[in-house]
């Protein structure tokens, strides 16, 4: 199928940071943050026109430093947070800040895609997340489903919960927790659970995955040695509240039930190098996307541990005979857990993969050389899931 | 004279015999002319007919004087002709005299024959007259004999009548005496009494309408009833041995007691005896422990052979005897006997099984086999009486054999684990400095040899079950299923499978969660072991097994060798991959920590290769030695060391300035991308954690790839100062110098190090590379 071909977009600089515009549910839009030590860094706003298969981009200058992590507010399309490196001659400090993009870019500007790169616009700084006392910021998480007022940032071994006040102009540290232990502990990544009224987050440091309660800021579970080596990323199953996916330097993706942390529920071993990213599809949680430094993106179908029941339960009355037959066939052979597709469009390590917030069948992946690839779930599978 | 007769009369047969002719004349010359004569008289001689007619053969039947003369005249010189002529003359003379002699002899014989015939004619006439006389005399004799016998006939008849009366009277006398005799014998010799009664009974019954006979019968019947009563009492006694029991019942039967009742009585008595014997056997077994086997019961007092011996001689013997008597007594109707015997046999089997269950451990298999053999043999006699038990017995033997095979499998597994434990210990043992511990090849050889040896020993033990002199070996189960299902599949194949699984377990199982991971050397060792199994050992073991336990064509399907080999290979592959991952991860961890903990911005100008790089090279060299002990070298892509060095210098001197150029224009990034992308187009995608091949180079390449890729990823996460970049440059060059020779394709090393350098340059705030000559200097000094 012609329109299943991937769409590739090249950035001039190296890039690691990618996020969908979470608050946007109509247009397919991704934000990419660049990494350059010598030039002004930028945030590319990538609009994907699904019908015409065209990419429109807008560029925002991000002059404070190279971007290591980027996330967008779930409530306000125009608000985003970045973690960026502030470099001086002798010191590198990773800071975090909340920004607002110019109003006209919030919903994209399709009129002048050609010259949009020339007249780059600047971000409006809303507030800094003051981390002088806490160390380097690893990532910023927005409260999912929230009103965009609560964020959590991970700084070295601290978890910081911020309240954004005065329409995000001021960030007040409401509570924090520090991870104590021998050696230099450092969070590598974290995720905010959309379940339990958004009172739980999960963090990764070294080979351990920990769960925290944001009300008490206490640890609620701990998966020791979740991976043989460093844990790189986590994600919560959006539909099953105790399910968690993790990935790491042992090339594995593991699925956990947080109520029983001694054994993973399932383990995938498809990549041939470190897995940097794992993402559940927002609506169909059997679809798992992983990106790895073996330059591959793998889309897996984990039906057996998804919220989707095997086969469908559709009322017989609604089906004509023909459909009925079709239905039976499908029930006869439910999909097995399997790799759906391996995408090899990248030529450098893939550090970020994200599903679109608007189209559940579409995802983007970003490799270090600045190549952004937009792919779709294969049509056959899509219909299989839908029908 | 006699000799001459033989010679001439015998035709072809005796004529050539040297004894016959030589004996009478004594001269050899005589023989020669005798030949032609003989041929003349016996022209049908076989060889004469077969010979090709030769007209020149003077002795042949086809002699042609013309031809002969022509031939002789043309061939021979004069002297020879003269000699020939003389010789022929001699021969002719000799022939003439021969002829005369023969003629004379024959004439003589003719004359004597005529004389004899004449004499015979006279004698026969005389004999005829005498024969007539004899016939007349015989007729007279027979007439007188008939007269005598007619005269005696009447007397003879009267004598016979008298003898009959005498016999009848004697019988009556005996009948009258019957009660007395019965009374006399009933106490002491019931059998004799019975015989006596049996003889009299029919007569008495027949003549019972006569009062005197009736009295006798009544009296004897009373005696017999009494006897029956006594016998019955005796029957209930406990102490009867089977023979007495049988006698007793036999007598009762003769007394026409009801057979039904008797057979029941008999069986209950027999049952009591057999029960007693079973109880004796059971007493030897430790009491069944209902509370579970918390404490192991003490070892049984006697060995299994003894137990079976006793069981078969006592229980089975008695049972056979009793069953035999039952049949003899109550006929072939075994409706009652069979369930009875079956129940008892089942109990016996249960006991034996319990005893077998006590045979823990591996004991002496030959003893067990002998015990089972004896059991089976003894039982065969019983089984003739009781066909239903055959299956149960065979099943029991088969179960015992299977049980034993299972135990051997477990023992093998324990043994293997023990060996592995030894190997681990040997690997972990602290080595005194300067003294090398046992090398990996030695350990491998020891392990493989001891496991194989043990397996062979076990097979030899198990073979006892199918030995020719063991009776049950001829059962169809032992011929077919036992060989295939129990031994080949259940023991050999299961062991090999288990071995592969166990080996795999070291790679799959405890890698990250809890249990201490296996030392890498062990992984390597096991990988080699599995590979050896795949290459040769499995086929050897299977051949050995098939030889010792020949499978049947129609038997159940067997696991083919290739399938097992594939399993072994998969295990070997998994282990080796895991080895690469573990070793790679160790080196990678070292590199990661070294990159993460260093302050790359504030570092000083590099003067040395960092210690961690030296450590990496050392470790990889050690791994190289380790792998080299067990695996072949493998193929390296042909490339001289010179070319690699050149390539590296080209990269750093000519290409690098373009990349690190400070004149970085906005279009420049695209150029570097282009450059690196073009470079990537020509290099293959490198899979970092990919399966390796079974050779040293491939293993080392795998480890190096993992290490260098880690270095690349870690460098990308850091921000470097100028000297940081230079340090990376120095480290990279150092690694290049020392690592290329381990890798199968040095371009892999080269490519990865290039990427490290490129990434470092990207991550550098002030990308000023070090002079290549300086880099080389530092590396050579380090």
């Amino acid at each position: 199928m012609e329109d299943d071909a991937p769409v590739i977009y090249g950035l001039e600089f190296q890039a690691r940071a990618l996020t969908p515009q979470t608050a946007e549910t109509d247009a397919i839009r991704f934000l990419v943050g660049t990494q350059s030590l010598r030039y002004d860094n930028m945030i590319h706003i990538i609009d994907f026109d699904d019908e015409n298969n065209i990419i429109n981009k807008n560029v925002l200058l991000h002059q404070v430093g190279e971007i290591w992590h980027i996330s967008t507010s779930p409530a306000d399309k125009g608000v985003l947070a970045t973690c960026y490196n502030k470099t001086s001659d002798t010191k590198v400090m990773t800071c975090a800040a909340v920004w607002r993009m110019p109003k006209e870019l919030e919903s994209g500007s399709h009129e002048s895609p050609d010259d949009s790169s020339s007249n780059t616009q600047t971000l409006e700084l809303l507030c800094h997340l003051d981390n002088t006392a806490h160390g380097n910021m690893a990532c910023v998480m927005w409260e999912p489903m929230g009103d965009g007022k609560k964020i959590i940032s991970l700084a070295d071994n601290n978890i910081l919960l911020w309240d954004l006040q005065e329409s995000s102009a001021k960030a007040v540290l409401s509570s924090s927790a520090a991870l104590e232990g021998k050696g230099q502990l450092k969070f590598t990544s974290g995720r905010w659970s959309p379940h339990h009224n958004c009172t739980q987050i999960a963090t990764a440091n070294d080979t351990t995955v920990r769960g925290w309660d944001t009300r008490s800021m206490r640890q609620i579970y701990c998966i020791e040695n979740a991976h043989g080596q460093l844990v790189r990323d986590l994600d919560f199953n959006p539909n099953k509240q105790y399910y968690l996916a993790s990935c790491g330097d042992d090339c594995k993706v593991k699925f956990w039930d947080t109520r029983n942390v001694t054994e993973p529920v399932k383990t995938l071993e498809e990549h041939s190098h470190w897995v940097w990213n794992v993402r559940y599809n927002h609506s169909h949680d059997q679809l798992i996307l992983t990106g790895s430094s073996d330059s591959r993106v793998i889309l897996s179908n984990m039906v057996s541990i998804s919220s989707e029941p095997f086969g469908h339960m559709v009322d017989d009355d609604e089906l004509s005979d023909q459909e009925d037959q079709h239905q039976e066939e499908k029930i006869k052979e439910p999909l097995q857990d399997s790799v759906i597709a391996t995408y090899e469009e990248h030529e450098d390590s893939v550090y970020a993969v994200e599903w679109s917030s608007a189209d559940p069948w579409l995802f983007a992946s970003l490799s270090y050389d600045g190549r952004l690839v937009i792919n779709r779930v294969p049509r056959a599978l899509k219909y299989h899931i839908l029908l | 004279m006699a000799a001459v007769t033989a010679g001439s009369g015998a035709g072809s047969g005796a004529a050539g015999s040297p004894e016959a002719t030589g004996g009478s004349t004594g001269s050899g010359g005589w023989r020669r002319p005798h030949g032609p004569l003989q041929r003349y008289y016996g022209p049908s001689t076989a060889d004469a007919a077969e010979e090709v007619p030769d007209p020149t053969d003077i002795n042949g039947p086809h002699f042609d004087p013309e031809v002969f003369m022509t031939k002789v005249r043309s061939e021979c010189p004069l002297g020879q002709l003269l000699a020939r002529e003389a010789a022929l003359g001699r021969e002719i003379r000799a022939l003439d005299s021969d002829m005369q002699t023969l003629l004379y002899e024959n004439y003589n014989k003719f004359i004597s024959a005529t004389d004899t015939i004449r004499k015979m004619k006279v004698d026969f006439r005389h004999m005829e007259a005498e024969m007539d006389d004899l016939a007349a005399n015989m007729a007279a004799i027979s007439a007188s004999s008939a007269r005598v016998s007619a005269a005696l006939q009447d007397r003879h008849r009267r004598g016979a009548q008298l003898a009959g009366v005498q016999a009848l009277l004697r019988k009556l006398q005996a009948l009258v005496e019957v009660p007395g005799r019965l009374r006399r014998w009933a106490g002491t010799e019931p059998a004799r009494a019975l015989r006596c009664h049996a003889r009299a009974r029919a007569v008495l019954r027949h003549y019972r309408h006569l009062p005197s006979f009736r009295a006798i019968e009544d009296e004897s019947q009373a005696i017999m009833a009494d006897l029956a009563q006594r016998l019955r009492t005796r029957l209930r006694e406990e102490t009867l041995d089977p023979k007495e029991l049988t006698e007793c019942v036999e007598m009762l039967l003769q007394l026409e007691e009801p057979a039904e009742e008797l057979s029941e009585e008999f069986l209950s008595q027999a049952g009591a005896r057999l029960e007693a014997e079973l109880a004796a056997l059971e007493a030897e077994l430790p009491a069944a422990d209902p509370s579970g086997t918390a404490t192991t019961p003490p070892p049984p007092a006697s060995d299994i052979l003894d137990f079976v011996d006793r069981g078969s001689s006592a229980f089975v013997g008695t049972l056979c005897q009793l069953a035999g008597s039952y049949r003899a007594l109550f006929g072939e109707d075994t409706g009652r006997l069979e369930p009875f015997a079956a129940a008892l046999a089942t109990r016996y089997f249960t006991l034996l099984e319990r005893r077998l269950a006590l045979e823990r451990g591996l004991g002496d298999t030959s003893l067990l086999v002998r015990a089972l053999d004896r059991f089976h043999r003894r039982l065969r006699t019983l089984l003739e009486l009781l066909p239903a038990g055959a299956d149960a017995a065979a099943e029991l033997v088969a179960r015992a054999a299977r049980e034993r095979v299972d135990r051997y499998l477990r023992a093998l597994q324990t043994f293997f684990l023990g060996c592995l434990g030894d190997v681990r210990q040997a690997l972990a043992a602290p080595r005194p400095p300067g003294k090398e511990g046992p090398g990996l090849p030695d350990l491998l050889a020891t392990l493989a040899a001891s496991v194989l040896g043990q397996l062979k020993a076990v097979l030899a033990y198990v073979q006892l079950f199918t030995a020719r002199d063991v009776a049950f070996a001829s059962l169809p189960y032992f011929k077919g299923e036992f060989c295939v299902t129990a031994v080949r599949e259940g023991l050999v194949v299961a062991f090999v499978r288990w071995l592969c699984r166990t080996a795999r377990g070291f790679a799959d199982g405890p890698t990250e969660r809890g249990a201490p991971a296996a030392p890498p050397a062990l992984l390597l060792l096991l990988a080699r072991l599995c590979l050896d199994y795949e290459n040769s050992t499995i086929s050897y073991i299977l051949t050995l097994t098939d030889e010792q336990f020949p499978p049947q064509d129609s038997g159940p399907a067997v696991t083919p060798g290739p399938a097992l080999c594939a399993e072994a290979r998969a295990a070997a592959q998994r282990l080796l991959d895991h080895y690469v991952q573990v070793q790679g991860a160790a080196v990678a961890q070292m590199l990661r920590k070294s990159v993460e903990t260093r302050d790359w911005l504030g570092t000083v100008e590099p003067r040395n290769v960092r210690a961690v790089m030296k450590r990496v090279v050392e470790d990889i060299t050690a791994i190289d030695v380790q792998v080299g002990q067990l695996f072949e070298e493998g193929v390296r892509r042909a490339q001289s060391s010179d070319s690699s060095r050149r390539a590296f210098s080209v990269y750093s001197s000519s290409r690098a300035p373009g990349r690190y150029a400070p004149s970085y224009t906005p279009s420049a990034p695209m150029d570097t991308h282009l450059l690196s992308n073009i470079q990537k187009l020509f290099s293959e995608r490198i899979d970092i954690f990919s399966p390796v091949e079974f050779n040293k180079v491939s293993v080392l390449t795998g480890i190096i790839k993992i290490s260098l890729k880690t270095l690349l990823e870690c460098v990308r996460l850091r921000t470097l100062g100028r000297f940081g970049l230079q340090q990376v440059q120095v480290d990279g060059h150092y690694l290049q110098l020392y690592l290329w020779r381990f890798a199968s394709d040095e371009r892999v090393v080269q490519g990865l190090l290039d990427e490290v350098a490129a990434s470092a340059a990207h991550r550098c705030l002030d990308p000023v590379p070090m002079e290549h000559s300086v880099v080389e200097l530092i590396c050579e000094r380090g």
Side-chain angles (χ1 to χ4, degrees), chain A residues 175-196:
Chain A
S175 61
S176 71
L179 182 62
E180 302 295 343
K182 60 174 185 172
Q184 240 186 343
L185 296 173
K186 216 164 144 183
F187 287 116
T188 50
S189 102
R191 267 326 246 187
W192 199 321
S193 164
H195 305 292
H196 313 288

Side-chain angles (χ1 to χ4, degrees), chain B residues 83-96:
Chain B
R84 188 102 187 209
E85 199 238 330
L88 280 177
R90 260 196 321 275
E91 262 177 47
I92 292 167
R93 271 193 304 278
L95 282 173
D96 281 346

Side-chain angles (χ1 to χ4, degrees), chain B residues 423-440 443 521 626 629:
Chain B
V423 170
R424 281 184 91 139
Q425 233 161 25
L427 287 175
R431 307 263 159 78
K435 199 182 150 203
E436 201 54 27
L440 286 177
L443 286 174
Q626 195 175 50
Q629 286 180 334

Side-chain angles (χ1 to χ4, degrees), chain A residues 11-14 16 35 37-39 66 68 85 87-92 206 223-230 232 249-252 254 256 261-264 269 272-274 276 293-296 344 346-349 351 368-369 371, chain B residues 511-514 574 581 585 588-589 592-593 596-597 599 601-602 662-666 668-670 673 677 680-681 685-690 705-706 709-714 716-720 755 759 761-767:
Chain A
L11 281 77
E12 295 92 336
F13 299 116
Q14 268 86 11
R16 281 175 186 270
Q35 283 198 317
L37 288 167
R38 292 180 281 281
Y39 305 99
E66 51 175 10
W68 286 82
N85 265 9
T87 332
S88 62
D89 278 345
T90 57
K91 219 177 144 204
V92 177
D206 202 27
I223 309 173
E224 300 268 11
N225 287 322
H227 285 266
Q229 296 171 52
L230 204 68
R232 289 277 167 195
D249 286 2
D250 56 0
C251 313
K252 290 175 186 160
K254 295 189 179 181
W256 304 89
V261 296
T262 50
E263 282 297 318
E269 241 184 307
S272 71
H273 201 242
W274 304 351
W276 285 75
S293 39
D294 63 2
S295 316
R296 292 190 178 97
E344 311 219 353
H346 293 288
E347 273 159 7
D348 206 334
S349 304
Y351 293 133
Y368 189 60
D369 54 6
R371 182 180 293 189
Chain B
T511 47
E512 48 214 38
R513 304 193 68 80
R574 181 78 190 81
Q581 284 182 20
Q589 187 76 0
R592 188 162 72 86
K593 288 279 182 251
E596 277 179 2
T597 51
D599 177 10
L601 265 181
S663 60
Y664 230 49
T665 58
M670 287 313 286
H673 280 304
N677 284 346
K680 274 174 189 163
L681 273 182
R685 186 189 280 268
I686 302 166
D687 276 341
I688 305 303
F689 288 95
S690 54
K705 276 196 299 190
I706 293 174
K709 179 76 175 174
T710 303
L711 183 64
L712 170 69
E713 292 296 338
C714 291
R716 282 182 175 183
L717 288 171
R718 305 290 304 190
T719 308
L720 289 76
E755 279 202 57
S759 292
H762 274 301
R763 298 298 310 153
C764 183
L765 291 171
D766 180 18

